[in-house]
Amino acid sequence: MAGMPGTGGTRMLAWSFVGPALLLLIAFNLFPLAWNIVLSFTNADLSGGTWEWVGGRNYATIFSDKSFAAKYGAALRTTALFTVLAVAIELALGFALALALRRDFRGKTPLLAVLLLPMMLSPAVMGLFWNLILEGTYGPLNQILGLAGLSQPAWRTEFKLLCLLLVDVWMWTPFMMLIALAGLNAIPAQLYEAAEIDRTPAWRVFARITLPLCAPLLGLAVLLRATDALKQFDLVMAITGPNDQATQTVSALLYQTTFANQKVGLGAAYAIVVLVGVIAVATLFTRYLDWMAARQGREG
Amino acid sequence: MRGLAVLRWSLLGVYAALAAAPLLLLLLTSFKSPADATSLDLKVLPLAGSASPHAFAPTLDGYAGLAGGGEGTAQPFWSYFLSSAIIGVCSTIAAVALGTCCAYGFSRFRIAGAKDWLFFILSTRFMPPLAVVAPVLVMYRQMELQNTHLGLILLYTVFNLSLAVWLMKGFIDEIPKAYEEAALVDGYSRIQAFVRIIVPQARTGMAVTAVFCLIAAWNEYGFALTLNNQRGVTVPVYFAGLQGNISGVPWPQVAAGVLVSVLPIMVFTLLIRRHLLRGVTFGTIKQ
């Protein structure tokens, strides 16, 4: 049969199918990476003029220069805080919504369509429009709060990280909901029937059947969301700009260093430090997928 | 159990209202005059001549304004829309074509280190654009690809390849091998079998993959902002450019533009709604 290893012709054919895509991926990932490493040992700036080797000075700046090391630490903390809060809220809310949407009812399909829309939209574009919604005086949110007799905080100046979280939760809760629904639908009905015969209390059914059987898919959802949230850039740019202390994520600091301050060499060094973290997360993710596949293989 | 039902419906009702409100506001704002958009009486009723302080006279000025150069921009909105469309469509076609071939190779041949390759492909998706864009910029300057459609088409093709390969591999794995084997026995070559049997069978998968690639390219901001900020500017970068003069943002025009630019995405999302789950999880969940 064709497709068996060994014969040179088949191997050539196989590589001609997968080769072009792999070559492009390597060229556009490993090549910039290598160039990034080179740049990180230089004092190159954005103008593209002359540059010099500076050895490990950029890395020394990241880890020890007081002002930059503080900024770098703050950006890491902001990113971590944003990621943890966003993912936790989206998971809890998404899972709750999935539980509520579990049974079929009339109008479920159009309702799902409305709920799912935000995650398909552009964060940069919708972020801009959210600025109007969250505006302090004429923003619709505060006007509604005012009509309800509640206080009207200056969201965009005093609660910047909260604004970021709010928009992110609006956009990505449906993502968690979608995956949680898939998890719920995959639970065999017999388990619930058996629990009913045994008159198991509802909370026990939830704790012993629903939650554990949903957990692997929820884990996948959390990993997918977390890798995205760690890259958060678009909403920061739209809502506060890249250089606001309250919301400067790692990506925003990278942008600020490389493009606003034009320090390409320093930015490159910082990017390398970030990439070490990215590789760690990616490894964790692929291990998880592997584990899930093995688990499915055992069960099915 | 009654309490649970009340809880369930109120959660759904409240969340659906909150999720839909910004989209509804977007629609309303696009029909307002600039003064009504930032009025201190929240205008929600599109009724001309009504005495209510919350009513406003609907106008199409916001949409008409898309044809002229907006504040802080030199060109009409449609030129950015066209850039987004060219870059989105071309990169999508390239990503789906390359991704389908690659997925077929991994699905039907034994390739040394196939699993490692597939994980390498997936891991490229985790790369934050801002961490690789500086060397890309240096490279693009040398090759004169900065501020060109081709530059972003290339980049988005590569960016979407990981998704295209993983999604298409799932779809192709589901096509029975017997189809091609029959064709091979009939004297088709491998390439012929791929073109005449697999590609037609994988049409749905290719359409779903195309929609996800198009959406990603349409919404992408980091690369577009840093590489194409003078010519070949895409819609997200155009809108973000308006954020500088936040007090003077022409909101109705912005809302009209946002609506026009998200409309294709909404339509495509509805068309592939049954495959949404698969798309957002890289094909790792199949339903």
Side-chain angles (χ1 to χ4, degrees), chain A residues 120-121, chain B residues 210-220 265 268-269 272:
Chain A
M120 311 307 279
L121 308 180
Chain B
V211 168
F212 278 96
C213 290
L214 187 64
I215 290 177
W218 195 260
N219 291 346
E220 205 283 331
I265 301 301
F268 285 130
T269 306
I272 52 124

Side-chain angles (χ1 to χ4, degrees), chain A residues 37 105 255 283:
Chain A
I37 294 173
F105 53 86
Y255 177 82
T283 309

Side-chain angles (χ1 to χ4, degrees), chain A residues 1-5 10 13-15 17-18 20-22 24-33 35-36 39 45-48 93 96-97 99-105 109 111 113-126 128-133 137-138 140 143-144 147 156 169-170 173-175 178-179 181-182 185-186 202 217 220 224 227 231 233-234 237-241 251 254-255 258-259 264 271 274-275 278 281-282 285-287 289-290 292 296, chain B residues 1 8-9 11-12 15-16 18-20 22-23 25-26 29 37-42 54 98-99 101-102 104-106 108-112 115 117 119-142 154-155 157-158 161-162 165-166 177 181 184 190-191 194 212 215 218-222 225-226 235-236 239-240 242-243 246-247 249 251 254-255 258 261-262 265-266 269-270 272-273 276-277 280-282 284-285 287:
Chain A
M1 194 196 103
M4 293 301 251
T10 314
L13 192 61
W15 282 100
F17 272 111
V18 300
L22 290 182
L24 256 183
L25 279 166
I26 291 170
F28 270 82
N29 283 287
L30 298 192
F31 191 57
L33 184 66
W35 205 321
N36 224 340
L39 283 173
D45 64 20
L46 203 59
S47 68
L93 201 52
L97 284 167
L99 287 170
L101 282 164
R102 197 172 185 186
R103 257 172 288 165
D104 280 326
F105 53 86
T109 311
L111 179 67
V114 172
L115 290 182
L116 290 172
L117 257 183
M119 74 169 169
M120 311 307 279
L121 308 180
S122 155
V125 173
M126 289 315 293
L128 172 75
F129 188 71
W130 270 91
N131 282 327
L132 171 66
I133 300 178
T137 49
Y138 55 76
Q143 295 210 27
I144 292 169
L147 289 176
R156 291 194 58 249
V169 166
W170 177 71
T173 297
F175 174 85
L178 188 66
I179 297 181
L181 259 178
N185 288 336
L217 277 198
L220 177 72
L224 277 169
T227 52
K231 293 192 281 189
F233 175 69
D234 301 12
M237 290 295 280
I239 290 170
T240 63
S251 283
L254 270 171
Y255 177 82
T258 308
F259 293 94
V264 173
V274 171
L275 285 177
V278 171
V281 175
F285 185 82
T286 49
R287 289 272 159 82
L289 279 186
D290 234 10
M292 268 191 41
Q296 268 166 2
Chain B
M1 278 292 122
R8 176 168 167 247
W9 287 111
L11 174 72
L12 279 181
Y15 188 84
L18 289 179
L23 298 173
L25 188 74
L26 190 66
T29 306
T38 56
S39 160
L40 285 171
D41 292 308
L42 183 57
H54 298 296
L98 285 168
C101 289
C102 186
Y104 178 74
F106 279 116
R108 295 298 201 257
F109 295 93
R110 274 194 220 161
I111 290 169
K115 211 166 109 184
W117 281 115
F119 277 147
F120 161 70
I121 293 172
L122 184 65
S123 70
T124 62
R125 190 76 174 195
F126 295 130
M127 205 78 96
L130 267 298
V132 287
V133 79
V136 170
L137 181 68
V138 175
M139 191 165 85
Y140 270 27
R141 271 190 183 153
Q142 297 272 320
L154 268 174
L155 213 51
T157 301
V158 177
L161 257 180
S162 56
V165 171
W166 273 70
K177 283 197 178 115
E181 276 155 21
L184 291 173
R190 261 282 163 183
I191 309 279
F194 173 68
F212 278 96
I215 290 177
W218 195 260
N219 291 346
E220 205 283 331
Y221 179 63
L225 171 73
T226 43
V235 170
F239 280 123
L242 295 174
Q243 125 102 18
I246 200 74
S247 52
V249 174
W251 286 114
V254 167
V258 171
S261 71
V262 301
I265 301 301
M266 290 188 185
T269 306
L270 287 179
I272 52 124
R273 61 185 180 280
L276 214 52
L277 183 69
V280 298
T281 57
F282 290 80
T284 51
I285 304 175
Q287 272 198 332

Side-chain angles (χ1 to χ4, degrees), chain A residues 164-215:
Chain A
L164 213 62
L165 275 171
L166 177 66
V167 182
D168 200 75
V169 166
W170 177 71
M171 295 201 91
W172 292 109
T173 297
F175 174 85
M176 293 288 195
M177 180 189 83
L178 188 66
I179 297 181
L181 259 178
L184 290 175
N185 288 336
I187 300 176
Q190 301 100 292
L191 288 178
Y192 288 108
E193 285 156 18
E196 203 165 323
I197 293 167
D198 295 342
R199 292 173 185 267
T200 317
W203 64 268
R204 259 184 87 107
V205 173
F206 181 80
R208 290 286 172 84
I209 298 175
T210 310
L211 201 55
L213 286 178
C214 248

